[in-house]
Amino acid sequence: MSTYSSASDRDSIYSSPGPQDYQVGAGSPMSNVNPVNTTSLPALLHSLRSRTINTLPALRRTERLIASLPPSTPNKPEIAKALNEAWIYYVDYHSLLNELRGLTKNYPFSESCLEEAKRGVSKGSGNYCYGVLRRVKDQGLIPTHARALAARPAMWGGRKPTSTEIHKLASACEGEWTRVLAIVLRHWDA
């Protein structure tokens, strides 16, 4: 069994630490995050549950905010759980796919590529979205799916493409998808 499919393996290289596991030390980039007023925590929890925080940048900002809260913060585990559920919703209900496709104007990102990556990542171990994106990158799923797309006769008006045509289209898709994946993964850089 691979490290991707183990539901109990929280230390998988494709898991990012959950918000409740982050440590913010003095001098770290997160030490400059404005503290949250505890009266705004119920509103944050409501926003997560109602899916009004529903873009990658907004979810990452919220994740960093939650990470900056002291462990004694009321309802921190409940908020962290709601954030995890928001990430799952974001990935499973095509928001991630839509954002990726919004960045890949010439060759829309492959849904089947994301679906394959999702099958190998546990929803309960860290940040699900990060795990899915890392799996796409680390397992080399983009070239496989770019070639499969390029070989489909539907991409060529119903005719069978030549190997040169398949290669050209697969290379173009792979280049654009790889560039966009790198851009999106930068949201997790320090």
Side-chain angles (χ1 to χ4, degrees), residues 104-137:
T104 53
K105 299 289 186 191
N106 297 318
Y107 307 100
F109 200 89
S110 169
E111 181 177 6
S112 62
C113 182
L114 277 186
E115 290 300 319
E116 181 177 341
K118 286 180 351 184
R119 284 191 297 270
V121 177
S122 170
K123 293 180 182 183
S125 62
N127 185 310
Y128 180 53
C129 182
Y130 177 79
V132 168
L133 293 170
R134 287 301 308 189
R135 185 155 193 265
V136 168
K137 180 180 179 185

Side-chain angles (χ1 to χ4, degrees), residues 113-179:
C113 182
L114 277 186
E115 290 300 319
E116 181 177 341
K118 286 180 351 184
R119 284 191 297 270
V121 177
S122 170
K123 293 180 182 183
S125 62
N127 185 310
Y128 180 53
C129 182
Y130 177 79
V132 168
L133 293 170
R134 287 301 308 189
R135 185 155 193 265
V136 168
K137 180 180 179 185
D138 295 345
Q139 292 293 299
L141 299 180
I142 286 177
T144 303
H145 289 274
R147 182 155 177 82
L149 177 75
R152 288 182 22 209
M155 296 299 294
W156 302 95
R159 70 173 177 81
K160 185 177 181 193
T162 66
S163 59
T164 302
E165 289 172 327
I166 291 170
H167 178 73
K168 283 179 77 175
L169 181 55
S171 293
C173 290
E174 184 178 341
E176 187 169 38
W177 298 351
T178 300
R179 179 187 58 80

Side-chain angles (χ1 to χ4, degrees), residues 95-106 108-109 176 179-180:
S95 296
L96 174 59
L97 178 62
N98 289 337
E99 283 199 45
L100 290 171
R101 285 185 170 175
L103 296 169
T104 53
K105 299 289 186 191
N106 297 318
F109 200 89
E176 187 169 38
R179 179 187 58 80
V180 165

Side-chain angles (χ1 to χ4, degrees), residues 16-133:
S16 66
Q20 67 275 14
D21 298 331
Y22 288 117
Q23 297 297 318
V24 179
S28 77
M30 290 305 302
S31 63
N32 297 329
V33 173
N34 294 332
V36 177
N37 182 329
T38 56
T39 59
S40 65
L41 291 178
L44 177 63
L45 187 58
H46 174 75
S47 294
L48 286 168
R49 287 182 175 156
S50 64
R51 311 289 186 249
T52 55
I53 300 174
N54 59 7
T55 64
L56 181 67
L59 286 164
R60 280 296 291 146
R61 269 192 308 277
T62 303
E63 188 172 53
R64 287 191 296 271
L65 181 78
I66 292 169
S68 72
L69 296 173
S72 61
T73 302
N75 301 328
K76 186 173 180 179
E78 186 179 1
I79 295 168
K81 181 180 181 216
L83 177 63
N84 187 52
E85 291 167 355
W87 277 119
I88 291 168
Y89 185 87
Y90 173 78
V91 173
D92 285 351
Y93 291 92
H94 303 293
S95 296
L96 174 59
L97 178 62
N98 289 337
E99 283 199 45
L100 290 171
R101 285 185 170 175
L103 296 169
T104 53
K105 299 289 186 191
N106 297 318
Y107 307 100
F109 200 89
S110 169
E111 181 177 6
S112 62
C113 182
L114 277 186
E115 290 300 319
E116 181 177 341
K118 286 180 351 184
R119 284 191 297 270
V121 177
S122 170
K123 293 180 182 183
S125 62
N127 185 310
Y128 180 53
C129 182
Y130 177 79
V132 168
L133 293 170

